[in-house]
Amino acid sequence: MYAFEDINNYSYGSSERKRSRKKKLIIIGAALLAVTLIVVAGVVGALFYTNNESKKAEDSSDHNMHSVSKSVKMMCSTTDYSGVCESSISKAVNSSSPAPEDLVKAAVAVIINEAKKAFSRSELFKSKNPMIRGAIEDCKQLYMDSKEELETALEHITAYGLENLPKRSHDIRTWLSAVMSYQQTCIDGFPDGELKTKMNEAMNKARQLTSNALAIIKEASSFFSTLKLSNFNRRRLLEEEEHEEMFVDDDGYPSWVAEGDRRMLKEYQWKKPAPNVTVAKDGSGDFTTITDALNAMPKKYQGRYVIYVKAGEYEETVNVTKKMVNVTMYGDGSKKTIITGSKNFIDGTRTFQTATFVAAGSGFMAVGICFRNTAGAIKHQAVALRVQSDLSVFLYCRMEGYQDTLYAQTHRQFYRGCVISGTIDFIFGDAAAVIQNSVLVVRRPLDNQQNIVTANGRVDPHETTGFVLHNCRIIPDHRLSSNLTISSYLGRPWKQFSKTIIMESRIGSFIHPDGYTPWNGDFALKTLFYAEYNNTGPGSDVTARVPWPGFKVITRPAAMRFTVANFLQGRDWIKATGAPVRLGLYH
């Protein structure tokens, strides 16, 4: 017996059930509105009140300093590290009567200085160990990425003001979440030992300040959002969300085509744009390598820069840098256009740098390409594709490897119609990623190993990140099927607030009834969020799942939070790429 609610309870065939559900949503919405106004108005409203009061008493410096302290205290009450919040923002605010916007900007600005101190601490470490020296170089790059995203967040707050924060909140929180990931990646690059411990301690305050800013932005956004919503508008939005699940893709329902004991995805006729340049190994294009084509890209290019990669096996390490924005790269199919490499941890490369292909520039899109790492199970961590790009789309691609195949590192990512294969933690990272209508192939690891599909790296409860597997198939490779003594799991918590949702997917019988396995003892078992909704297949039975406090079998309304429309805000940006997408649930 499944623990989630009967899907028939939500049938659209019954008008009475529709009216009943709509009424419940309206009541819930009104209640949420009231609660939000009570809680948040006390915080943000206090900022305006104390600001106005301090202006009336400008001739009294003592009164003004008291008002600043009170407004800071009220704002910081929404954070997890209120003491650090109060002291840092009080020092950062120059005016004795700051505007609310100044306080919110200060919450972000203080991270920059603290992050600089924390990241630069690594430069003081002296070692001949190449892994440590490499980790120091990684920290330098990660600091630059952090600085850029924090400055962008500040620019948006300044340009649009607090009253428009609801429209920009998710962008800003996405960038702040990425900053938290960069901080942790810097630490993780060091081998276990004294230097890693020191780096962790040095980064502690920067992480706390980033967490505080995430909480403050979220609460301030909620306040201004509720101010603009009348009860009528609230009802209208709830009704729109209810009907969102009826959205039909350009290609309709999931299109699995039987092929023996496997099902392959039906090809979608994505309209290929005219390329700016063509890459061909045989010399029939503009370039023979993808790297040369990227290096020739104009530094300032308006619109999408399109690179067509002809069929062939390209053995190179490719990096679409952060400066290379809005790149579309398409091939002749994921079995024909192959980008391959073999960098790996065992041979001395840090996991962060093992990727065959790196997509860092925002707005990256790949169609019909295979990203492969051939290092094999014996070489442990070996990334095929690392994605740092915000608003990125991967359509009908393959990611092939063993351990750590797909590093969904940061930002918002959408995968559709892909085949992703691997063994241990083969989908990992701290991005907000939805993998939809895809096949996840679990391969055979070493005899002393076990398989884990996902290892999400969310490090803070205020981050907007997590993994969603939607309408996917989780199947064993034929070499694994012949040896079912190897245990396979859906996930394990890489970091403390690991978050993974599997919904409307078909799970094979080879998945262990527990579903999930610990990372280390009871680490993160109370703070993680693992959820399943309306899955099918012999491996979907939730009656024997782990009894962890963080594991949930969620209902349909809860599952709606993790659709493409709500989790990625993908209504506009994904459809603009021409990619097929299901914005809501299928059933």
PDB file of all heavy atoms in Angstrom, residues 365-397:
ATOM      1  N   MET A 365      23.166  26.144 -23.707  1.00  0.00           N
ATOM      2  CA  MET A 365      22.250  25.098 -24.160  1.00  0.00           C
ATOM      3  C   MET A 365      23.005  24.092 -25.016  1.00  0.00           C
ATOM      4  O   MET A 365      23.786  24.465 -25.894  1.00  0.00           O
ATOM      5  CB  MET A 365      21.099  25.694 -24.977  1.00  0.00           C
ATOM      6  CG  MET A 365      20.077  24.659 -25.424  1.00  0.00           C
ATOM      7  SD  MET A 365      18.685  25.404 -26.321  1.00  0.00           S
ATOM      8  CE  MET A 365      17.624  23.966 -26.534  1.00  0.00           C
ATOM      9  N   ALA A 366      22.782  22.789 -24.716  1.00  0.00           N
ATOM     10  CA  ALA A 366      23.393  21.727 -25.503  1.00  0.00           C
ATOM     11  C   ALA A 366      22.301  20.799 -26.005  1.00  0.00           C
ATOM     12  O   ALA A 366      21.374  20.458 -25.258  1.00  0.00           O
ATOM     13  CB  ALA A 366      24.401  20.947 -24.667  1.00  0.00           C
ATOM     14  N   VAL A 367      22.403  20.379 -27.278  1.00  0.00           N
ATOM     15  CA  VAL A 367      21.408  19.496 -27.885  1.00  0.00           C
ATOM     16  C   VAL A 367      22.127  18.398 -28.669  1.00  0.00           C
ATOM     17  O   VAL A 367      23.002  18.687 -29.492  1.00  0.00           O
ATOM     18  CB  VAL A 367      20.465  20.266 -28.837  1.00  0.00           C
ATOM     19  CG1 VAL A 367      19.386  19.336 -29.382  1.00  0.00           C
ATOM     20  CG2 VAL A 367      19.831  21.461 -28.142  1.00  0.00           C
ATOM     21  N   GLY A 368      21.763  17.142 -28.394  1.00  0.00           N
ATOM     22  CA  GLY A 368      22.263  16.035 -29.188  1.00  0.00           C
ATOM     23  C   GLY A 368      23.752  15.812 -29.123  1.00  0.00           C
ATOM     24  O   GLY A 368      24.398  15.567 -30.144  1.00  0.00           O
ATOM     25  N   ILE A 369      24.313  15.882 -27.907  1.00  0.00           N
ATOM     26  CA  ILE A 369      25.758  15.707 -27.708  1.00  0.00           C
ATOM     27  C   ILE A 369      25.984  14.706 -26.579  1.00  0.00           C
ATOM     28  O   ILE A 369      25.219  14.652 -25.615  1.00  0.00           O
ATOM     29  CB  ILE A 369      26.441  17.044 -27.377  1.00  0.00           C
ATOM     30  CG1 ILE A 369      26.347  18.008 -28.558  1.00  0.00           C
ATOM     31  CG2 ILE A 369      27.898  16.842 -26.971  1.00  0.00           C
ATOM     32  CD1 ILE A 369      26.889  19.401 -28.268  1.00  0.00           C
ATOM     33  N   CYS A 370      27.047  13.926 -26.681  1.00  0.00           N
ATOM     34  CA  CYS A 370      27.453  13.023 -25.601  1.00  0.00           C
ATOM     35  C   CYS A 370      28.666  13.600 -24.878  1.00  0.00           C
ATOM     36  O   CYS A 370      29.650  14.000 -25.512  1.00  0.00           O
ATOM     37  CB  CYS A 370      27.813  11.650 -26.165  1.00  0.00           C
ATOM     38  SG  CYS A 370      28.449  10.493 -24.918  1.00  0.00           S
ATOM     39  N   PHE A 371      28.576  13.660 -23.545  1.00  0.00           N
ATOM     40  CA  PHE A 371      29.690  14.094 -22.700  1.00  0.00           C
ATOM     41  C   PHE A 371      30.177  12.850 -21.957  1.00  0.00           C
ATOM     42  O   PHE A 371      29.422  12.248 -21.181  1.00  0.00           O
ATOM     43  CB  PHE A 371      29.229  15.168 -21.715  1.00  0.00           C
ATOM     44  CG  PHE A 371      28.546  16.341 -22.373  1.00  0.00           C
ATOM     45  CD1 PHE A 371      27.158  16.375 -22.484  1.00  0.00           C
ATOM     46  CD2 PHE A 371      29.280  17.383 -22.905  1.00  0.00           C
ATOM     47  CE1 PHE A 371      26.515  17.437 -23.094  1.00  0.00           C
ATOM     48  CE2 PHE A 371      28.651  18.459 -23.520  1.00  0.00           C
ATOM     49  CZ  PHE A 371      27.261  18.486 -23.614  1.00  0.00           C
ATOM     50  N   ARG A 372      31.420  12.480 -22.139  1.00  0.00           N
ATOM     51  CA  ARG A 372      31.893  11.179 -21.657  1.00  0.00           C
ATOM     52  C   ARG A 372      33.211  11.301 -20.888  1.00  0.00           C
ATOM     53  O   ARG A 372      34.086  12.074 -21.260  1.00  0.00           O
ATOM     54  CB  ARG A 372      32.073  10.237 -22.853  1.00  0.00           C
ATOM     55  CG  ARG A 372      32.605   8.867 -22.539  1.00  0.00           C
ATOM     56  CD  ARG A 372      32.795   8.062 -23.823  1.00  0.00           C
ATOM     57  NE  ARG A 372      31.525   7.725 -24.460  1.00  0.00           N
ATOM     58  CZ  ARG A 372      31.421   7.223 -25.689  1.00  0.00           C
ATOM     59  NH1 ARG A 372      32.505   7.033 -26.431  1.00  0.00           N
ATOM     60  NH2 ARG A 372      30.227   6.924 -26.182  1.00  0.00           N
ATOM     61  N   ASN A 373      33.302  10.515 -19.805  1.00  0.00           N
ATOM     62  CA  ASN A 373      34.581  10.338 -19.109  1.00  0.00           C
ATOM     63  C   ASN A 373      34.873   8.844 -19.085  1.00  0.00           C
ATOM     64  O   ASN A 373      34.082   8.064 -18.540  1.00  0.00           O
ATOM     65  CB  ASN A 373      34.530  10.900 -17.692  1.00  0.00           C
ATOM     66  CG  ASN A 373      35.915  10.983 -17.058  1.00  0.00           C
ATOM     67  OD1 ASN A 373      36.668  10.010 -17.064  1.00  0.00           O
ATOM     68  ND2 ASN A 373      36.248  12.141 -16.500  1.00  0.00           N
ATOM     69  N   THR A 374      35.988   8.465 -19.675  1.00  0.00           N
ATOM     70  CA  THR A 374      36.315   7.048 -19.857  1.00  0.00           C
ATOM     71  C   THR A 374      37.247   6.489 -18.794  1.00  0.00           C
ATOM     72  O   THR A 374      37.776   5.388 -18.946  1.00  0.00           O
ATOM     73  CB  THR A 374      36.961   6.838 -21.240  1.00  0.00           C
ATOM     74  OG1 THR A 374      38.183   7.594 -21.306  1.00  0.00           O
ATOM     75  CG2 THR A 374      36.034   7.267 -22.353  1.00  0.00           C
ATOM     76  N   ALA A 375      37.452   7.226 -17.691  1.00  0.00           N
ATOM     77  CA  ALA A 375      38.406   6.777 -16.673  1.00  0.00           C
ATOM     78  C   ALA A 375      38.022   5.423 -16.077  1.00  0.00           C
ATOM     79  O   ALA A 375      38.885   4.639 -15.676  1.00  0.00           O
ATOM     80  CB  ALA A 375      38.523   7.825 -15.567  1.00  0.00           C
ATOM     81  N   GLY A 376      36.732   5.146 -15.968  1.00  0.00           N
ATOM     82  CA  GLY A 376      36.286   3.858 -15.453  1.00  0.00           C
ATOM     83  C   GLY A 376      36.111   3.844 -13.947  1.00  0.00           C
ATOM     84  O   GLY A 376      36.579   4.743 -13.232  1.00  0.00           O
ATOM     85  N   ALA A 377      35.461   2.818 -13.443  1.00  0.00           N
ATOM     86  CA  ALA A 377      35.148   2.713 -12.019  1.00  0.00           C
ATOM     87  C   ALA A 377      36.406   2.676 -11.158  1.00  0.00           C
ATOM     88  O   ALA A 377      36.421   3.184 -10.026  1.00  0.00           O
ATOM     89  CB  ALA A 377      34.296   1.466 -11.768  1.00  0.00           C
ATOM     90  N   ILE A 378      37.474   2.112 -11.660  1.00  0.00           N
ATOM     91  CA  ILE A 378      38.690   1.941 -10.874  1.00  0.00           C
ATOM     92  C   ILE A 378      39.379   3.268 -10.561  1.00  0.00           C
ATOM     93  O   ILE A 378      40.194   3.362  -9.641  1.00  0.00           O
ATOM     94  CB  ILE A 378      39.663   0.983 -11.609  1.00  0.00           C
ATOM     95  CG1 ILE A 378      40.717   0.453 -10.626  1.00  0.00           C
ATOM     96  CG2 ILE A 378      40.308   1.681 -12.802  1.00  0.00           C
ATOM     97  CD1 ILE A 378      41.539  -0.671 -11.195  1.00  0.00           C
ATOM     98  N   LYS A 379      39.038   4.321 -11.303  1.00  0.00           N
ATOM     99  CA  LYS A 379      39.675   5.625 -11.101  1.00  0.00           C
ATOM    100  C   LYS A 379      38.858   6.547 -10.196  1.00  0.00           C
ATOM    101  O   LYS A 379      39.206   7.698 -10.010  1.00  0.00           O
ATOM    102  CB  LYS A 379      39.890   6.311 -12.464  1.00  0.00           C
ATOM    103  CG  LYS A 379      40.877   5.592 -13.367  1.00  0.00           C
ATOM    104  CD  LYS A 379      42.287   5.583 -12.795  1.00  0.00           C
ATOM    105  CE  LYS A 379      43.271   4.985 -13.790  1.00  0.00           C
ATOM    106  NZ  LYS A 379      44.672   5.043 -13.294  1.00  0.00           N
ATOM    107  N   HIS A 380      37.763   6.049  -9.639  1.00  0.00           N
ATOM    108  CA  HIS A 380      36.918   6.781  -8.692  1.00  0.00           C
ATOM    109  C   HIS A 380      36.350   8.064  -9.318  1.00  0.00           C
ATOM    110  O   HIS A 380      35.814   8.035 -10.398  1.00  0.00           O
ATOM    111  CB  HIS A 380      37.692   7.035  -7.399  1.00  0.00           C
ATOM    112  CG  HIS A 380      37.996   5.775  -6.647  1.00  0.00           C
ATOM    113  ND1 HIS A 380      38.213   5.739  -5.284  1.00  0.00           N
ATOM    114  CD2 HIS A 380      38.111   4.483  -7.062  1.00  0.00           C
ATOM    115  CE1 HIS A 380      38.440   4.500  -4.899  1.00  0.00           C
ATOM    116  NE2 HIS A 380      38.395   3.721  -5.967  1.00  0.00           N
ATOM    117  N   GLN A 381      36.473   9.228  -8.640  1.00  0.00           N
ATOM    118  CA  GLN A 381      35.808  10.443  -9.122  1.00  0.00           C
ATOM    119  C   GLN A 381      36.336  10.855 -10.499  1.00  0.00           C
ATOM    120  O   GLN A 381      37.542  11.081 -10.668  1.00  0.00           O
ATOM    121  CB  GLN A 381      36.013  11.603  -8.147  1.00  0.00           C
ATOM    122  CG  GLN A 381      35.370  11.389  -6.791  1.00  0.00           C
ATOM    123  CD  GLN A 381      36.350  10.846  -5.759  1.00  0.00           C
ATOM    124  OE1 GLN A 381      37.217  10.039  -6.095  1.00  0.00           O
ATOM    125  NE2 GLN A 381      36.215  11.294  -4.517  1.00  0.00           N
ATOM    126  N   ALA A 382      35.413  10.932 -11.462  1.00  0.00           N
ATOM    127  CA  ALA A 382      35.791  11.300 -12.829  1.00  0.00           C
ATOM    128  C   ALA A 382      34.563  11.906 -13.509  1.00  0.00           C
ATOM    129  O   ALA A 382      33.684  11.187 -13.977  1.00  0.00           O
ATOM    130  CB  ALA A 382      36.292  10.080 -13.598  1.00  0.00           C
ATOM    131  N   VAL A 383      34.493  13.232 -13.556  1.00  0.00           N
ATOM    132  CA  VAL A 383      33.312  13.955 -14.030  1.00  0.00           C
ATOM    133  C   VAL A 383      33.287  14.018 -15.557  1.00  0.00           C
ATOM    134  O   VAL A 383      34.301  14.330 -16.186  1.00  0.00           O
ATOM    135  CB  VAL A 383      33.285  15.383 -13.443  1.00  0.00           C
ATOM    136  CG1 VAL A 383      32.093  16.172 -13.979  1.00  0.00           C
ATOM    137  CG2 VAL A 383      33.248  15.329 -11.909  1.00  0.00           C
ATOM    138  N   ALA A 384      32.131  13.732 -16.128  1.00  0.00           N
ATOM    139  CA  ALA A 384      31.960  13.897 -17.573  1.00  0.00           C
ATOM    140  C   ALA A 384      31.514  15.317 -17.906  1.00  0.00           C
ATOM    141  O   ALA A 384      32.005  15.931 -18.856  1.00  0.00           O
ATOM    142  CB  ALA A 384      30.940  12.889 -18.093  1.00  0.00           C
ATOM    143  N   LEU A 385      30.582  15.850 -17.100  1.00  0.00           N
ATOM    144  CA  LEU A 385      30.025  17.185 -17.365  1.00  0.00           C
ATOM    145  C   LEU A 385      29.854  17.940 -16.054  1.00  0.00           C
ATOM    146  O   LEU A 385      29.226  17.440 -15.118  1.00  0.00           O
ATOM    147  CB  LEU A 385      28.667  17.045 -18.055  1.00  0.00           C
ATOM    148  CG  LEU A 385      27.844  18.321 -18.247  1.00  0.00           C
ATOM    149  CD1 LEU A 385      28.534  19.274 -19.221  1.00  0.00           C
ATOM    150  CD2 LEU A 385      26.432  17.986 -18.747  1.00  0.00           C
ATOM    151  N   ARG A 386      30.440  19.137 -15.990  1.00  0.00           N
ATOM    152  CA  ARG A 386      30.233  20.020 -14.829  1.00  0.00           C
ATOM    153  C   ARG A 386      29.478  21.258 -15.301  1.00  0.00           C
ATOM    154  O   ARG A 386      29.913  21.942 -16.228  1.00  0.00           O
ATOM    155  CB  ARG A 386      31.563  20.425 -14.181  1.00  0.00           C
ATOM    156  CG  ARG A 386      31.378  21.468 -13.070  1.00  0.00           C
ATOM    157  CD  ARG A 386      32.602  21.593 -12.178  1.00  0.00           C
ATOM    158  NE  ARG A 386      33.767  22.114 -12.836  1.00  0.00           N
ATOM    159  CZ  ARG A 386      34.057  23.410 -12.968  1.00  0.00           C
ATOM    160  NH1 ARG A 386      33.200  24.337 -12.518  1.00  0.00           N
ATOM    161  NH2 ARG A 386      35.174  23.804 -13.556  1.00  0.00           N
ATOM    162  N   VAL A 387      28.346  21.542 -14.648  1.00  0.00           N
ATOM    163  CA  VAL A 387      27.488  22.654 -15.069  1.00  0.00           C
ATOM    164  C   VAL A 387      27.385  23.691 -13.956  1.00  0.00           C
ATOM    165  O   VAL A 387      26.884  23.416 -12.864  1.00  0.00           O
ATOM    166  CB  VAL A 387      26.080  22.156 -15.452  1.00  0.00           C
ATOM    167  CG1 VAL A 387      25.242  23.323 -15.971  1.00  0.00           C
ATOM    168  CG2 VAL A 387      26.161  21.055 -16.492  1.00  0.00           C
ATOM    169  N   GLN A 388      27.881  24.865 -14.270  1.00  0.00           N
ATOM    170  CA  GLN A 388      27.804  26.027 -13.381  1.00  0.00           C
ATOM    171  C   GLN A 388      26.883  27.083 -13.982  1.00  0.00           C
ATOM    172  O   GLN A 388      26.507  28.049 -13.329  1.00  0.00           O
ATOM    173  CB  GLN A 388      29.218  26.592 -13.192  1.00  0.00           C
ATOM    174  CG  GLN A 388      29.366  27.693 -12.168  1.00  0.00           C
ATOM    175  CD  GLN A 388      30.802  28.182 -12.065  1.00  0.00           C
ATOM    176  OE1 GLN A 388      31.726  27.544 -12.565  1.00  0.00           O
ATOM    177  NE2 GLN A 388      31.008  29.323 -11.423  1.00  0.00           N
ATOM    178  N   SER A 389      26.492  26.892 -15.212  1.00  0.00           N
ATOM    179  CA  SER A 389      25.701  27.859 -15.976  1.00  0.00           C
ATOM    180  C   SER A 389      24.303  28.040 -15.400  1.00  0.00           C
ATOM    181  O   SER A 389      23.597  27.065 -15.144  1.00  0.00           O
ATOM    182  CB  SER A 389      25.596  27.381 -17.430  1.00  0.00           C
ATOM    183  OG  SER A 389      24.666  28.150 -18.152  1.00  0.00           O
ATOM    184  N   ASP A 390      23.897  29.293 -15.211  1.00  0.00           N
ATOM    185  CA  ASP A 390      22.530  29.582 -14.788  1.00  0.00           C
ATOM    186  C   ASP A 390      21.618  29.565 -16.014  1.00  0.00           C
ATOM    187  O   ASP A 390      22.022  29.926 -17.123  1.00  0.00           O
ATOM    188  CB  ASP A 390      22.474  30.958 -14.124  1.00  0.00           C
ATOM    189  CG  ASP A 390      21.165  31.188 -13.369  1.00  0.00           C
ATOM    190  OD1 ASP A 390      20.444  30.200 -13.119  1.00  0.00           O
ATOM    191  OD2 ASP A 390      20.866  32.353 -13.030  1.00  0.00           O
ATOM    192  N   LEU A 391      20.376  29.116 -15.805  1.00  0.00           N
ATOM    193  CA  LEU A 391      19.383  29.051 -16.881  1.00  0.00           C
ATOM    194  C   LEU A 391      19.895  28.208 -18.048  1.00  0.00           C
ATOM    195  O   LEU A 391      19.795  28.584 -19.212  1.00  0.00           O
ATOM    196  CB  LEU A 391      19.011  30.461 -17.360  1.00  0.00           C
ATOM    197  CG  LEU A 391      18.585  31.460 -16.271  1.00  0.00           C
ATOM    198  CD1 LEU A 391      18.297  32.821 -16.882  1.00  0.00           C
ATOM    199  CD2 LEU A 391      17.384  30.956 -15.496  1.00  0.00           C
ATOM    200  N   SER A 392      20.458  27.043 -17.711  1.00  0.00           N
ATOM    201  CA  SER A 392      21.030  26.162 -18.728  1.00  0.00           C
ATOM    202  C   SER A 392      20.066  25.041 -19.079  1.00  0.00           C
ATOM    203  O   SER A 392      19.263  24.599 -18.255  1.00  0.00           O
ATOM    204  CB  SER A 392      22.368  25.589 -18.253  1.00  0.00           C
ATOM    205  OG  SER A 392      22.222  24.954 -16.988  1.00  0.00           O
ATOM    206  N   VAL A 393      20.155  24.568 -20.334  1.00  0.00           N
ATOM    207  CA  VAL A 393      19.266  23.526 -20.845  1.00  0.00           C
ATOM    208  C   VAL A 393      20.092  22.465 -21.560  1.00  0.00           C
ATOM    209  O   VAL A 393      20.957  22.790 -22.384  1.00  0.00           O
ATOM    210  CB  VAL A 393      18.225  24.112 -21.826  1.00  0.00           C
ATOM    211  CG1 VAL A 393      17.418  22.998 -22.477  1.00  0.00           C
ATOM    212  CG2 VAL A 393      17.297  25.084 -21.113  1.00  0.00           C
ATOM    213  N   PHE A 394      19.807  21.201 -21.248  1.00  0.00           N
ATOM    214  CA  PHE A 394      20.440  20.069 -21.933  1.00  0.00           C
ATOM    215  C   PHE A 394      19.330  19.201 -22.502  1.00  0.00           C
ATOM    216  O   PHE A 394      18.503  18.663 -21.764  1.00  0.00           O
ATOM    217  CB  PHE A 394      21.333  19.275 -20.970  1.00  0.00           C
ATOM    218  CG  PHE A 394      22.536  20.044 -20.529  1.00  0.00           C
ATOM    219  CD1 PHE A 394      22.442  20.962 -19.488  1.00  0.00           C
ATOM    220  CD2 PHE A 394      23.751  19.898 -21.171  1.00  0.00           C
ATOM    221  CE1 PHE A 394      23.538  21.699 -19.083  1.00  0.00           C
ATOM    222  CE2 PHE A 394      24.857  20.635 -20.783  1.00  0.00           C
ATOM    223  CZ  PHE A 394      24.758  21.545 -19.733  1.00  0.00           C
ATOM    224  N   LEU A 395      19.316  19.092 -23.825  1.00  0.00           N
ATOM    225  CA  LEU A 395      18.232  18.430 -24.529  1.00  0.00           C
ATOM    226  C   LEU A 395      18.777  17.260 -25.346  1.00  0.00           C
ATOM    227  O   LEU A 395      19.677  17.423 -26.161  1.00  0.00           O
ATOM    228  CB  LEU A 395      17.538  19.441 -25.441  1.00  0.00           C
ATOM    229  CG  LEU A 395      16.344  18.995 -26.269  1.00  0.00           C
ATOM    230  CD1 LEU A 395      15.201  18.532 -25.366  1.00  0.00           C
ATOM    231  CD2 LEU A 395      15.869  20.149 -27.158  1.00  0.00           C
ATOM    232  N   TYR A 396      18.270  16.047 -25.095  1.00  0.00           N
ATOM    233  CA  TYR A 396      18.660  14.844 -25.824  1.00  0.00           C
ATOM    234  C   TYR A 396      20.173  14.641 -25.836  1.00  0.00           C
ATOM    235  O   TYR A 396      20.781  14.403 -26.866  1.00  0.00           O
ATOM    236  CB  TYR A 396      18.083  14.866 -27.241  1.00  0.00           C
ATOM    237  CG  TYR A 396      16.595  15.055 -27.228  1.00  0.00           C
ATOM    238  CD1 TYR A 396      16.007  16.157 -27.832  1.00  0.00           C
ATOM    239  CD2 TYR A 396      15.776  14.154 -26.543  1.00  0.00           C
ATOM    240  CE1 TYR A 396      14.630  16.339 -27.783  1.00  0.00           C
ATOM    241  CE2 TYR A 396      14.411  14.337 -26.486  1.00  0.00           C
ATOM    242  CZ  TYR A 396      13.841  15.426 -27.098  1.00  0.00           C
ATOM    243  OH  TYR A 396      12.488  15.611 -27.035  1.00  0.00           O
ATOM    244  N   CYS A 397      20.760  14.777 -24.658  1.00  0.00           N
ATOM    245  CA  CYS A 397      22.199  14.573 -24.507  1.00  0.00           C
ATOM    246  C   CYS A 397      22.470  13.287 -23.722  1.00  0.00           C
ATOM    247  O   CYS A 397      21.572  12.725 -23.093  1.00  0.00           O
ATOM    248  CB  CYS A 397      22.834  15.759 -23.786  1.00  0.00           C
ATOM    249  SG  CYS A 397      22.885  17.291 -24.756  1.00  0.00           S
TER     250      CYS A 397
END
